[in-house]
């Protein structure tokens, strides 16, 4: 996997070829998993574009699309296109597969938000805004998990407010999110 990462960094155009190989039905599953992870580790513009295409192409298998979302945590400097692709993945929650993809993307965004580089603080703000807009208990709970992944002490008040929610799932998710963070509220549990 590291040799492939290095090759993708040395020859960024290789990402498009790798994407075409991932689309083939005759490839082995473990090879696809390693290749997707190598794209994320490479982190080049071309590798991130390949991840975006994996995320958004309905002809790609459900498993490989989820692998691409999960792999984004390994991208050291995600570009705007990759981040927006993750946000688009959260938008539709009509089917079981869409909910699974949305939940995975929310958690990935939370993990990326944990990194305090300049590009990432808006992720925390967007997660908080989505939390305020969400009405469905399942979406609220996953957003709380994403905020827990982000480890943002500024989110503690919004998370604590969900400790009194009608749904036990939401209350448990809020408590879990507070224990994951490093804010003052995590010490009070």
């Amino acid at each position: 996997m590291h040799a492939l990462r290095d090759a993708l960094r040395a020859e960024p155009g290789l990402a498009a070829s790798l994407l075409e190989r991932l689309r083939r039905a005759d490839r082995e599953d473990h090879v696809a998993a390693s290749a997707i992870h190598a794209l994320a580790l490479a982190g080049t513009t071309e590798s991130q574009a390949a991840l975006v295409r994996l995320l958004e192409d309905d002809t790609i298998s459900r498993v490989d699309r989820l692998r691409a979302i999960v792999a984004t945590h390994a991208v050291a400097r995600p570009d705007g296109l990759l981040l927006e692709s993750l946000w688009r993945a959260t938008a539709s929650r009509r089917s079981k597969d869409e909910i699974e993809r949305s939940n995975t993307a929310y958690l990935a965004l939370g993990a990326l938000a944990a990194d305090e580089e300049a590009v990432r603080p808006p992720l925390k703000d967007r997660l908080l805004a989505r939390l305020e807009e969400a009405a469905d208990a399942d979406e609220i709970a996953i957003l709380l998990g994403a905020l827990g992944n982000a480890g943002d002490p500024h989110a503690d008040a919004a998370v604590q407010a969900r400790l009194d929610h009608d749904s036990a799932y939401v209350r448990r998710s809020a408590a879990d999110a507070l224990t994951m963070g490093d804010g003052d509220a995590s010490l009070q549990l």
Side-chain angles (χ1 to χ4, degrees):
M1 177 178 9
H2 294 291
L4 181 55
R5 174 206 60 200
D6 295 343
L8 287 162
R9 287 179 177 166
E11 193 175 329
L14 195 60
S17 301
L18 186 57
L19 179 63
E20 290 311 311
R21 294 188 121 186
L22 287 168
R23 287 188 167 125
R24 292 177 38 191
D26 63 342
R27 50 113 176 120
E28 292 187 37
D29 200 47
H30 72 280
V31 172
S34 294
I36 291 168
H37 195 71
L39 285 167
L41 289 171
T44 65
T45 300
E46 295 83 358
S47 292
Q48 290 186 57
L51 287 171
V52 168
R53 288 193 296 278
L54 283 169
L55 286 165
E56 296 185 351
D57 185 343
D58 290 336
T59 66
I60 300 294
S61 74
R62 177 187 138 274
V63 171
D64 285 344
R65 290 177 82 186
L66 291 172
R67 281 181 177 140
I69 293 170
V70 171
T72 61
H73 83 279
V75 177
R77 290 180 189 85
D79 61 26
L81 294 175
L82 182 59
L83 294 173
E84 286 308 312
S85 181
L86 288 169
W87 282 112
R88 282 190 297 277
T90 68
S92 184
R93 298 179 64 81
R94 294 182 307 255
S95 70
K96 181 181 173 187
D97 285 349
E98 287 177 345
I99 290 169
E100 182 179 41
R101 193 168 37 255
S102 174
N103 290 351
T104 306
Y106 274 138
L107 294 172
L109 286 162
L112 289 169
D115 191 335
E116 290 298 331
E117 288 185 26
V119 72
R120 308 251 171 72
L123 290 179
K124 295 174 185 178
D125 295 340
R126 283 182 78 177
L127 288 168
L128 282 167
R130 284 277 177 100
L131 178 64
E132 296 306 320
E133 297 167 0
D136 174 72
D138 289 334
E139 187 172 12
I140 292 169
I142 205 70
L143 281 159
L144 291 166
L147 288 165
N149 283 350
D152 183 10
H154 301 292
D156 285 352
V159 174
Q160 280 182 323
R162 282 18 181 232
L163 290 171
D164 294 326
H165 196 275
D166 292 340
S167 165
Y169 179 41
V170 170
R171 291 192 305 270
R172 185 181 71 234
S173 296
D176 289 346
L178 289 170
T179 61
M180 292 170 69
D182 57 1
D184 293 336
S186 64
L187 301 175
Q188 296 172 11
L189 288 179

